């Protein structure tokens, strides 16, 4: 009887927390996007007005178990917010794990916002939206010091990354001013904009940590031997 | 540079473990588009003579996304893997290593990632002196030693690399079958899709490549971005209006097992029957109640056909597998007389783990069980195994023996055609193949069109190609664009034709689309013709004509031999090919602009 041995009964997910953060450094090669699609061509697609505009402190919560990893939210975010199809500019990112799981990762609007605290006073590029509580990044003011990136990567969602040229921080969701495009477009409805009656920080976790716990919930019978 | 292309093709010389970037041949791209089209054009250019050993370093293994890959458009998620096939062969055996072209395409995220890494294509040639993993991180190309992964299953390999590289890399890996040169080994992706037909896994193994990892985020230049974004919305709307949309999202292609059994088109017990008494055990709703735990989608698609499950009880508790898709479910299920879902999913997971084409694996197992059932092979010849219909543990043992080429597995690893030749004349009638390619999960007696599909497919007995000439050309066009057949079935071709125009700025009308399809198809045909394939190779095995269904809704159905000949006569005639030899006429080649290309090499 020939039999391959699985040396471990457990999943390998989660052994290298922080590996995702390393992906933030990119080659300098920057391709020119096509001209900005003007007008409404980047507007909401697929479905409309699923979520009513919320005007109180809010955050987007993700039902990770239902995420299929299609990446439609990524594309929609880049189109609506940045008028580009360059998903590197998306403020929501989908990561793939093994055994198959996809984790959509987005800013959790932590109450204590370590990113805002980390931003040097002389830059003052990060502020809070008084209406929604979202963290707002003023790109013109950003000095590219990476302090917010480091703060977010440590114990939080690890959503901030550098632009292709390494000069600006990217990736902080501003909730589209209270009517987020990704929430409306997700075909699985696993994104929802919810009023903040709790600290968004509770949702903030590195996608690898989320994947590890989710793997044990979805693949309940463990690894076969 | 026209939009839709990066203009760069990544070439890896494994002999020296060096890489270089060449300019994409844009003149060829205008004629052959990408995917399967650029694949055959490049293969034709790089293999100038017949009889090259497909497992030799000189056989290029190519991954071609298409001009729509990397665009946020539902359906444009595939990648074509093109190489000289490891498993096919002509009836005329005078040329030892003669084989067809093969083009196998998979969905998921690898194709878009490769394109967004900045490459229109990836061409591997030569042979590494040690097992390696090829890592493409946009412009940074590197090799990782794969000594620790060699011999490992695909799932362990994918998990290990996923952990090491982080979640933004998309992965392909081979299993032990590819390493050992099993002729029907495939390459398995991180969403459990296999480049199944034609033995691309064996070709990859022969090059000592265990896995390929790609990370790509660079957007593709587009000619008319605004129009494409409007098209993205329209295509999504069209797709969500598809009459099957809701239940396809829920069940994927699995219910086809039921409808096929009702139509008498299923393959049961090595093609003997067209229905299966226990098919309800293997399909919905059982899969939904007992097995599926997670749905996964290809890039930018809402259909989420990737149905991942875990067996939660019984002897196969803990097994994680994808499917059953139609082909794997039919071939490893009913074709082997399997009655229980747990056993079927264990078989599929094992075939995926070993890195095998599940269609060919099911065909080969059905072949062995049929031989055993008919007394052509006994336990003595099978190392003490008794492969009775539906006995899953024995089937698993056989799969392992095939992957490691031990015991009877050494012979079976050649595929049914060559295995039957080794096992003797009595075994030959049980080998269900065309050109050495194992037939897939659609049976012929109640659906004679499939004789033409299997017979004329340029990679041998494949079910994918379409039964009319026009449909063959439409699907070839789709393969060149790397667009999904399921989404095509839902929204038609028009969105993709339009997308091609918007992305590249090229004019694409129905005529030019069909012409591109015909050009690609015909060049593939000429590749095969050079290797010695003729009309006789386009026939189903004669034993197919002696099958008469004894049960089920199509009881009594059969496929008469004369029907075979009349189908082929009409087909070659309609194509403008020579009816006797099946070869395209010089006038036909000239009309497609292939005459000079073909002349150059003859």
């Amino acid at each position: 009887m020939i039999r391959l041995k699985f040396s471990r009964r457990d999943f390998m997910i989660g052994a290298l927390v922080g590996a995702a953060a390393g992906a933030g450094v990119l080659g300098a090669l920057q391709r020119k996007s096509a001209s900005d699609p003007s007008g409404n061509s980047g507007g909401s697609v697929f479905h409309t007005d699923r979520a009513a505009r919320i005007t109180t402190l809010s955050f987007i919560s993700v039902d990770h178990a239902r995420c299929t990893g299609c990446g439609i939210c990524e594309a929609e975010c880049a189109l609506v917010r940045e008028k580009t199809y360059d998903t590197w500019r998306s403020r929501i990112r989908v990561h793939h794990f093994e055994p198959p799981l996809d984790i959509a990762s987005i800013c959790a609007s932590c109450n204590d916002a370590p990113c805002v605290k980390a931003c040097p006073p002389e830059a003052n590029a990060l502020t809070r939206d008084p209406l929604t509580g979202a963290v707002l990044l003023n790109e013109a003011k950003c000095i590219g010091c990476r302090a917010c990136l480091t703060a977010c990567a440590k114990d939080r969602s690890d959503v901030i990354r550098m632009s292709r040229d390494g000069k600006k921080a990217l990736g902080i969701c501003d909730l589209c001013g209270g009517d987020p495009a990704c929430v409306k477009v997700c075909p699985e409805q696993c994104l929802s904009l919810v009023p903040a009656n709790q600290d968004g920080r509770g949702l903030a976790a590195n996608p690898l940590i989320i994947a590890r716990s989710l793997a044990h919930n979805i693949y309940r019978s463990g690894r076969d031997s | 540079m026209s939009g839709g292309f990066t203009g760069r093709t990544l070439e890896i010389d494994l002999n020296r473990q060096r890489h270089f970037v060449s300019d994409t041949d844009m003149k060829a791209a205008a004629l052959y588009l990408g995917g399967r089209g650029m694949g055959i054009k490049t293969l034709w250019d790089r293999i100038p003579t017949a009889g090259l050993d497909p497992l030799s370093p000189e056989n290029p293994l190519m991954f071609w996304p298409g001009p729509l890959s990397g665009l946020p458009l539902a359906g444009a998620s595939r990648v074509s893997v093109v190489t000289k096939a490891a498993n096919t062969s002509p009836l005329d055996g005078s040329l030892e290593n003669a084989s067809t072209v093969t083009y196998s395409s998979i969905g998921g995220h690898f194709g878009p990632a490769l394109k967004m890494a900045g490459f229109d294509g990836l061409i591997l040639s030569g042979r590494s002196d040690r097992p390696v993993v090829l890592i493409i991180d946009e412009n940074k190309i590197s090799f990782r030693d794969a000594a620790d992964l060699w011999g490992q299953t695909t799932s362990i390999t994918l998990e290990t690399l996923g952990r090491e590289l982080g979640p933004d890399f998309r992965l392909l890996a081979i299993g032990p079958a590819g390493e050992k040169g099993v002729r029907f080994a495939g390459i398995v992706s991180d969403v459990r899709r296999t480049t199944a037909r034609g033995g691309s896994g064996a070709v990859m193994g022969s090059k000592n490549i265990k896995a390929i990892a790609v990370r790509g985020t660079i957007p593709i230049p587009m000619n008319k971005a605004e129009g494409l974004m409007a098209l993205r919305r329209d295509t999504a709307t069209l797709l969500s209006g598809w009459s099957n949309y809701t239940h396809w999202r829920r069940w994927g292609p699995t219910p086809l097992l039921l409808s096929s059994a009702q139509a008498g088109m299923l393959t049961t017990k090595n093609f003997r029957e067209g229905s299966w008494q226990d098919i309800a055990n293997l399909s919905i709703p059982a899969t939904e109640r007992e097995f599926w735990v997670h749905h996964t989608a290809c890039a930018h698609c809402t259909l989420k056909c990737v149905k991942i499950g875990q067996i939660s009880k019984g002897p196969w508790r803990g097994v994680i597998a994808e499917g059953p898709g139609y082909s794997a479910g039919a071939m490893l299920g009913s074709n082997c007389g399997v009655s229980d879902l747990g056993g079927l999913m264990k078989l599929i997971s094992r075939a995926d783990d070993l890195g095998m084409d599940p269609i060919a694996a099911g065909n080969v197992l059905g072949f062995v069980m049929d031989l055993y059932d008919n007394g052509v092979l006994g336990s003595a010849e099978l190392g003490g195994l008794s492969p009775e219909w539906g006995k899953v543990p024995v089937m698993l043992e056989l799969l392992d023996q095939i992957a490691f080429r031990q015991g009877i597995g050494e012979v079976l690893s050649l595929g049914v055609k060559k295995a039957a030749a080794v096992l003797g004349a009595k075994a030959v009638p049980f080998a269900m193949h065309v050109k050495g390619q194992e037939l897939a999960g659609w049976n012929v007696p109640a659906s004679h069109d499939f004789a033409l599909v299997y017979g004329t497919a340029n990679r041998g007995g494949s079910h994918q190609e379409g039964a009319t000439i026009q449909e063959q050309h439409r699907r070839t066009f789709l393969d060149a664009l790397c667009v999904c057949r399921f989404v095509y079935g839902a929204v038609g071709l028009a969105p993709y034709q339009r997308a091609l125009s918007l992305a590249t700025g090229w004019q694409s009308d129905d005529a030019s689309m069909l012409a591109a399809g015909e050009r690609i198809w015909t060049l593939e045909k000429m590749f095969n013709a050079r290797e010695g394939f003729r009309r006789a190779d386009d026939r189903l095995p004669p034993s197919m004509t002696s099958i008469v269904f004894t049960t089920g809704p199509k009881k009594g159905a059969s496929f008469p031999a004369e029907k075979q000949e009349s189908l082929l006569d009409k087909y070659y005639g309609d194509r403008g090919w020579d009816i006797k030899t099946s070869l395209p006429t010089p006038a036909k080649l000239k009309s497609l602009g292939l005459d000079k290309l073909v002349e150059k090499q003859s």
Side-chain angles (χ1 to χ4, degrees):
Chain A
M1 181 88 169
I2 306 157
R3 188 174 272 282
L4 291 182
K5 291 213 167 56
F6 289 98
S7 53
R8 32 196 322 168
R9 295 185 60 83
D10 208 353
F11 300 115
M12 293 189 186
I13 277 177
L16 263 193
V17 175
V25 189
L26 256 192
L29 190 126
Q30 177 159 27
R31 272 167 196 273
K32 260 254 174 288
S33 305
S35 57
D36 273 355
S38 59
N40 297 321
S41 67
S44 72
V45 303
F46 304 97
H47 311 284
T48 51
D49 291 336
R50 183 179 298 144
R53 177 180 288 263
I54 288 185
T55 52
T56 58
L57 293 178
S58 327
F59 53 74
I60 291 173
S61 86
V62 186
D63 182 352
H64 296 289
R66 287 160 71 173
C67 178
T68 66
C70 65
I72 288 172
C73 55
E74 279 185 1
E76 187 75 358
C77 177
L79 276 166
V80 171
R81 302 298 300 136
E82 309 289 348
K83 301 278 183 277
T84 172
Y85 50 91
D86 177 359
T87 52
W88 189 252
R89 303 284 301 274
S90 305
R91 293 144 194 239
I92 185 167
R93 297 279 288 170
V94 183
H95 307 280
H96 179 76
F97 295 88
E98 291 291 326
L101 279 180
D102 296 279
I103 305 295
S105 183
I106 192 165
C107 171
S109 304
C110 312
N111 277 9
D112 60 348
C115 52
V116 177
K117 281 184 193 149
C119 187
E122 65 271 25
N124 196 24
L126 293 176
T127 51
R128 304 297 294 251
D129 184 327
L131 195 61
T132 64
V135 176
L136 304 177
L137 167 68
N138 186 335
E139 280 191 36
K141 287 184 174 178
C142 178
I143 55 171
C145 68
R146 306 172 69 98
C148 58
L149 190 150
T150 312
C152 185
K154 185 176 177 294
D155 304 332
R156 304 296 165 99
S157 305
D158 191 18
V159 291
I160 307 176
R161 62 190 169 279
M162 299 307 286
S163 60
R164 286 184 197 285
D165 58 11
K167 287 182 181 161
K168 306 273 177 200
L170 290 177
I172 304 177
C173 171
D174 64 359
L175 299 173
C176 294
D179 186 22
C182 56
V183 171
K184 288 185 286 192
V185 83
C186 173
E188 304 308 317
Q189 305 182 29
C190 45
L191 300 174
S192 41
L193 184 65
V194 294
N197 49 15
Q198 64 184 81
D199 188 347
R201 175 181 172 177
L203 294 169
N206 188 296
L208 278 150
I209 292 175
I210 300 171
R212 182 168 54 181
S213 55
L214 194 62
H216 284 282
N217 189 32
I218 286 187
Y219 302 108
R220 287 177 191 209
S221 306
R223 143 98 47 225
D224 66 318
S225 54
Chain B
M1 180 57 50
S2 119
F5 292 87
T6 64
R8 305 156 78 238
T9 301
L10 179 61
E11 306 214 26
I12 310 281
D13 174 5
L14 290 162
N15 291 334
R16 271 165 281 182
Q17 290 199 6
R18 299 273 275 285
H19 74 274
F20 58 101
V21 176
S22 61
D23 291 342
T24 303
D25 181 351
M26 290 309 295
K27 268 190 191 155
L31 294 169
Y32 298 91
L33 307 170
R36 181 174 159 188
M38 285 300 272
I40 182 60
K41 173 64 168 65
T42 315
L43 197 72
W44 179 269
D45 291 344
R46 301 208 173 193
I47 303 183
T49 50
L52 175 74
D53 178 358
L55 301 187
S56 69
E58 290 74 33
N59 185 21
L61 177 64
M62 300 180 283
F63 301 79
W64 288 98
L68 307 182
S69 300
L71 305 184
L73 187 66
S77 64
R78 300 184 76 85
V79 61
S80 283
V81 181
V82 181
T83 189
K84 186 165 186 277
N87 62 341
T88 50
S89 59
L91 290 172
D92 171 8
S94 56
L95 204 57
E96 192 189 350
N97 289 309
S99 71
T100 61
V101 58
T102 192
Y103 41 86
S104 195
S105 117
I106 47 165
H109 301 259
F110 187 89
L114 179 60
K115 189 77 183 256
M116 286 193 287
F119 303 110
D120 293 324
L122 165 65
I123 304 175
L124 308 177
S125 54
R127 173 181 287 152
S128 168
D129 57 0
R130 65 199 160 87
V132 290
V133 176
L134 170 63
I135 300 171
I136 302 169
D137 188 359
E138 301 194 337
N139 287 309
K140 222 176 85 215
I141 317 296
S142 58
F143 295 91
R144 172 201 184 279
D145 188 275
D148 58 324
L149 297 172
W150 204 248
Q152 292 284 13
T153 62
T154 54
S155 52
I156 291 287
T157 305
L158 294 168
E159 274 186 35
T160 308
L161 290 175
R163 177 185 48 141
E164 252 179 52
L165 296 168
D168 292 342
F169 278 83
R170 306 308 303 213
L171 310 169
L172 296 180
I174 59 166
E179 297 168 14
K180 298 276 181 189
V182 172
R183 293 288 165 157
F184 47 90
I187 308 169
V188 180
S189 84
D190 52 17
V191 288
R192 301 302 184 275
R193 287 291 182 255
T194 306
T195 71
R197 314 314 316 272
S200 49
V203 176
M204 188 152 142
S206 76
K207 301 194 173 312
N208 267 331
I209 304 268
K210 177 67 179 175
I212 304 175
V214 174
R215 191 177 73 94
T217 62
I218 308 164
I220 315 302
M222 286 187 222
N223 192 50
K224 288 208 169 64
E226 197 175 330
L228 267 165
M229 290 316 115
L231 182 69
R232 166 182 183 256
R233 177 180 54 223
D234 296 347
T235 309
T237 308
L238 201 58
L239 184 55
S240 63
W242 181 34
S243 55
N244 290 346
Y245 185 68
T246 310
H247 80 245
W248 192 278
R249 272 164 53 79
R250 185 170 157 193
W251 294 328
T254 308
L256 288 174
L257 287 165
L258 298 178
S259 52
S260 167
Q262 275 159 20
M265 291 161 78
L266 195 66
T267 52
T268 300
K269 296 191 174 174
N270 201 25
F271 293 82
R272 282 190 208 171
E273 300 289 347
S275 59
W276 176 232
Q277 67 205 32
D278 295 327
I279 197 65
N281 298 350
L282 311 179
S283 185
I284 58 142
T287 48
E288 195 170 45
R289 287 181 194 146
E290 299 170 18
F291 182 60
W292 289 337
V293 295
H294 192 57
H295 307 270
T296 296
C298 300
H300 303 293
C301 188
T302 53
L303 291 185
K304 53 171 178 175
C305 310
V306 185
K307 306 294 182 195
I308 295 164
Q310 183 171 43
I311 295 291
S312 56
K313 58 182 196 296
W316 315 113
R317 182 185 147 86
V319 168
I320 297 172
E322 196 281 327
Y326 178 76
S327 297
M331 293 311 291
L332 283 166
S334 56
N335 196 54
C336 298
V338 171
S339 297
D340 70 302
L341 182 62
L344 171 63
M345 295 321 299
K346 176 66 188 177
L347 286 163
I348 290 176
S349 110
R350 196 70 189 143
D352 283 354
D353 267 355
L354 296 168
M356 277 183 206
D357 171 6
I359 296 174
N363 188 312
V364 169
L365 290 178
F367 167 73
V368 179
M369 292 158 132
D370 212 358
L371 291 177
Y372 181 80
D373 197 21
N374 282 281
V376 181
L377 281 183
S379 290
E381 289 100 332
L382 293 166
L385 295 175
S386 306
E388 286 152 25
W389 295 113
K391 260 179 112 178
V392 174
V394 181
M395 294 167 70
L396 291 168
E397 176 64 27
L398 282 168
L399 283 183
D400 281 358
Q401 290 192 3
I402 291 168
F404 291 93
R405 294 179 63 177
Q406 295 179 351
I408 189 73
E410 175 70 43
V411 174
L412 297 176
S413 74
L414 300 171
V416 291
K417 182 188 176 192
K418 288 180 179 166
V422 174
L423 294 170
K426 274 191 177 164
V428 172
F430 297 95
M432 305 308 277
H433 69 92
V434 168
K435 302 182 181 71
Q437 180 81 270
E438 285 77 11
L439 297 186
W442 296 94
N443 217 336
V444 178
S447 177
H448 295 175
D449 281 355
F450 269 99
L452 203 62
V453 180
Y454 288 133
T456 60
N458 285 322
R459 54 179 167 175
S462 153
H463 64 290
Q464 287 277 359
E465 274 71 357
T468 65
I469 292 166
Q470 276 222 348
E471 184 60 16
Q472 290 186 338
H473 294 165
R474 277 195 289 268
R475 292 188 184 186
T476 308
F477 174 78
L478 280 173
D479 283 350
L481 297 188
C482 295
V483 167
C484 170
R485 294 250 159 78
F486 293 150
V487 184
Y488 154 65
V491 305
L493 259 185
Y496 301 105
Q497 233 176 309
R498 190 163 155 65
L500 180 64
S501 293
L502 290 167
T504 60
W506 299 339
Q507 292 305 310
S508 173
D509 54 18
D510 286 3
S512 67
M513 168 190 83
L514 290 173
E518 184 169 15
R519 189 179 300 114
I520 295 163
W521 185 281
T522 309
L523 189 56
E524 288 170 349
K525 173 75 183 172
M526 292 313 295
F527 184 95
N528 294 350
R530 192 175 64 192
E531 300 276 329
F533 291 87
R534 293 294 181 271
R535 175 174 173 137
D537 294 292
D538 290 358
R539 292 193 186 109
L540 293 178
S543 49
M544 183 63 93
T545 59
S546 60
I547 291 172
V548 181
F549 289 164
T550 63
T551 178
K554 297 285 174 176
K555 187 175 170 179
S558 67
F559 177 61
E562 57 276 15
K563 179 75 184 278
Q564 167 95 77
E565 301 311 320
S566 65
L567 279 171
L568 288 179
D569 283 347
K570 180 168 182 340
Y571 176 84
Y572 300 139
D574 289 351
R575 270 201 175 280
W577 292 1
D578 185 301
I579 289 179
K580 224 171 116 205
T581 62
S582 83
L583 298 184
T585 58
K588 184 42 114 183
L589 292 178
K590 189 147 196 247
S591 75
L592 294 167
L594 291 173
D595 48 335
K596 293 206 178 81
L597 197 65
V598 171
E599 250 170 46
K600 234 172 36 188
Q601 289 191 5
S602 57

